[in-house]
Amino acid sequence: VQLQASGGGLVQAGGSLRLSCVASGTGVDIAIMDWYRQAPGKQRELVAAIASGGRTNYADSVKGRFSISREDVENTVYLQMNGLKSEDTAVYYCHVGAVDRNNIRRHYWGQGTLVTVSS
């Protein structure tokens, strides 16, 4: 499975961006799709997650501003980011948790897309 993320860029504080991540490949059942981010000098952190049943989870720092969604038919996960702040500046990574044909859990990561918020 390969993940291709897109949608990052430079935006002014208060603006919006929409990240997309497409999972391609076969042989696994995707369970959870989520977004992490890593700011310079900081550890990677979970931003938002969405399970196969649609249940979502958000970091406290983005609640009310970010929204995660998924299109299972297209194996795509989105992150709509509104009200962006300078502290949202980071490289954003999509991640997929899946189960393969041998019932083994697998984890896949995208290449990262840079989001820069100017104040």
Side-chain angles (χ1 to χ4, degrees):
V1 174
Q2 292 185 330
L3 304 182
Q4 182 66 46
S6 61
L10 174 64
V11 64
Q12 289 187 338
S16 298
L17 283 175
R18 189 192 195 205
L19 305 183
S20 301
C21 180
V22 180
S24 61
T26 60
V28 298
D29 289 325
I30 294 176
I32 191 163
M33 306 181 83
D34 38 39
W35 290 93
Y36 286 74
R37 68 185 180 187
Q38 187 167 19
K42 294 187 177 181
Q43 290 187 333
R44 191 173 295 190
E45 63 174 354
L46 177 66
V47 177
I50 184 166
S52 56
R55 186 176 63 183
T56 58
N57 183 43
Y58 295 92
D60 288 342
S61 59
V62 306
K63 284 181 180 177
R65 300 188 298 120
F66 290 11
S67 178
I68 189 170
S69 60
R70 61 191 281 176
E71 285 285 346
D72 288 337
V73 172
E74 298 180 351
N75 285 336
T76 302
V77 61
Y78 304 97
L79 185 68
Q80 178 66 43
M81 305 185 294
N82 301 324
L84 283 161
K85 305 176 181 179
S86 58
E87 51 263 43
D88 295 319
T89 295
V91 177
Y92 284 70
Y93 298 90
C94 62
H95 164 264
V96 163
V99 178
D100 67 16
R101 294 192 179 99
N102 296 314
N103 207 32
I104 296 174
R105 295 182 180 181
R106 301 290 184 183
H107 296 272
Y108 304 96
W109 290 91
Q111 82 284 9
T113 184
L114 177 63
V115 172
T116 304
V117 184
S118 62
S119 56

